[in-house]
Amino acid sequence: MMPKRMPKLLAAGAIALGAGSMGAAPQPFTPQAIGDAAARSLPAPPADGVMGFVVSDFVQPIVEGRDACPDGPVPKLREAYIASLPSAERERLTRKENEAELLRAWQMTAFGKNGTNICSQPELFDRPTFRTVQSKVAWGLDLDEGNSDDTCAHDTFTTPNGQTGIDNQEYRALGCKLEWRTKDGVGGDNQIGMKQFHNSGEWTQVILLRGVDSLENDPSVEVVYANTPDRPMIDGKGNYLPGITYSISTKPPRERNVLKGRIVNGVLLTDPGDIKLTQTWGQGGARDIRGNRARWDYRKARLRLEFQPDGSLKGMMAGYRPVADPIISPALGGAGSALVAGIDCAGELATLRKYADGLKDPKTGKCNGISATQRISAVPAYINDINQRTASR
């Protein structure tokens, strides 16, 4: 379904916030983008207090640099197998004339008994944990605020602009994967792949604000964070066009989340709440025409989004993900994820479980969730909300 330009029920704030500006391509986080609110001039909100946005950037943020992973990136299955061999056997198998033997040998490590494989049934494989991020610097939010009642002991990060107590154990566990970070320390395939999924309309997200009286300080704002079946309209450079109309839908697999928010010094903050958003992955056998369905599942999640002078929003969503959620894409890919991409899903799951820090089971004391962060950018849009539920209901 393509978005329309002429709205019926409009989030009129797009015009008031400069809908004529172009959405920017995703950029690395900077202190001004997600840190303390910088000095800037913000316009008055629309008269009806309603504002809408379409999310143009949604990806796990990294702090670039090789120092985060001083031992290098997490090896793929092939490299891990080679490294496990005695030196003489390693030297023999890596000769060109033995390529076919090496291929068979490392690929066999992806399979177990009864046709199981390391990505479809990762819990059945005993694999070592990954190399993890050693830096003390990461983007994220303070989710537990020092309260350990529902968390497990863990080290926290400091953001590049000095905010302390940051909970982002997913980054610690997975931030040395090549999908997250290249050998040169810059953003990996995630940075491109996630953008492509958004541009294709596979999981278009929108944000709707109600009751906005000031973009500087407002004690009460309703925040609707939802999916739409409408595909985004983008220009030739991949920038999202502002001022386009999108309609919220809860028809499966789409989601609609309602949060209580407030604006403090030009920053939109929300109280903790569960956020679920659709995913569509284009792999696996059990899929419809637009791919295998799954969800982003963030528990006790918060938004921290800063209003920009050009009308856009920039910031973060952070919360606790069930520990198996970060590997849902390669798990859906099954054996192909291991054989083609070299992904060790069992090692990934073991690492996530080791560093789990939230969603503690009160009976066992075990944490079943891991703190995680998504970078978010959004451009002004008109939003039709076909479901009028509110945060108070």
Side-chain angles (χ1 to χ4, degrees), residues 249-262:
S249 171
T250 56
K251 182 179 179 181
R254 290 176 287 276
E255 303 286 344
R256 181 181 185 275
N257 308 277
V258 184
L259 306 167
K260 293 182 179 180
R262 61 196 180 281

Side-chain angles (χ1 to χ4, degrees), residues 28-293:
F29 271 0
T30 63
Q32 184 174 348
I34 68 167
D36 296 330
R40 62 202 183 283
S41 176
L42 297 176
D48 62 0
V50 180
M51 302 174 64
F53 304 86
V54 59
V55 175
S56 57
D57 184 35
F58 184 84
V59 69
Q60 296 96 335
I62 71 165
V63 177
E64 295 187 345
R66 295 182 180 180
D67 59 320
C69 305
D71 297 326
V74 175
K76 297 290 189 175
L77 278 175
R78 179 184 183 276
E79 287 69 33
Y81 173 74
I82 292 173
S84 71
L85 298 173
S87 58
E89 179 67 357
R90 184 185 312 132
E91 192 277 331
R92 185 189 73 81
L93 272 183
T94 52
R95 295 174 193 160
K96 186 171 181 59
E97 63 266 24
N98 296 323
E99 283 183 356
E101 182 183 353
L102 174 60
L103 178 65
R104 289 192 299 270
W106 79 257
Q107 288 189 342
M108 286 301 297
T109 66
F111 295 93
K113 297 179 180 180
N114 303 316
T116 57
N117 70 76
I118 203 169
C119 281
S120 296
Q121 297 86 18
E123 70 282 356
L124 300 181
F125 291 75
D126 184 14
R127 299 286 297 177
T129 56
F130 285 175
R131 299 171 183 172
T132 57
V133 169
Q134 300 302 303
S135 169
K136 297 181 179 180
V137 181
W139 293 110
L141 299 177
D142 182 357
L143 295 174
D144 58 22
E145 297 179 333
N147 183 354
S148 61
D149 292 345
D150 191 34
T151 62
C152 296
H154 62 285
D155 294 329
T156 59
F157 290 100
T158 299
T159 64
N161 57 343
Q163 296 173 359
T164 60
I166 300 302
D167 303 304
N168 192 350
Q169 290 292 84
E170 181 187 39
Y171 176 68
R172 188 185 305 280
L174 305 183
C176 291
K177 289 181 56 183
L178 282 166
E179 290 81 6
W180 285 52
R181 182 191 309 274
T182 69
K183 294 179 180 179
D184 295 327
V186 300
D189 290 343
N190 272 10
Q191 304 290 317
I192 299 173
M194 298 279 279
K195 181 67 174 176
Q196 289 174 338
F197 273 113
H198 267 281
N199 288 354
S200 71
E202 293 297 282
W203 55 39
T204 313
Q205 301 169 4
V206 293
I207 297 172
L208 176 64
L209 308 180
R210 291 195 181 101
V212 180
D213 298 318
S214 168
L215 298 187
E216 297 290 351
N217 292 282
D218 190 326
S220 179
V221 175
E222 181 181 73
V223 181
V224 180
Y225 191 5
N227 290 121
T228 172
D230 301 328
R231 294 178 182 270
M233 295 188 70
I234 59 177
D235 65 17
K237 296 182 179 180
N239 298 317
Y240 279 51
L241 298 177
I244 306 301
T245 300
Y246 301 86
S247 294
I248 289 174
S249 171
T250 56
K251 182 179 179 181
R254 290 176 287 276
E255 303 286 344
R256 181 181 185 275
N257 308 277
V258 184
L259 306 167
K260 293 182 179 180
R262 61 196 180 281
I263 298 172
V264 179
N265 296 328
V267 179
L268 176 67
L269 306 170
T270 65
D271 294 343
D274 294 345
I275 296 177
K276 294 183 179 181
L277 296 162
T278 189
Q279 296 176 348
T280 305
W281 303 104
Q283 74 268 57
R287 64 173 186 247
D288 64 19
I289 194 170
R290 292 186 68 188
N292 210 321
R293 303 294 190 180

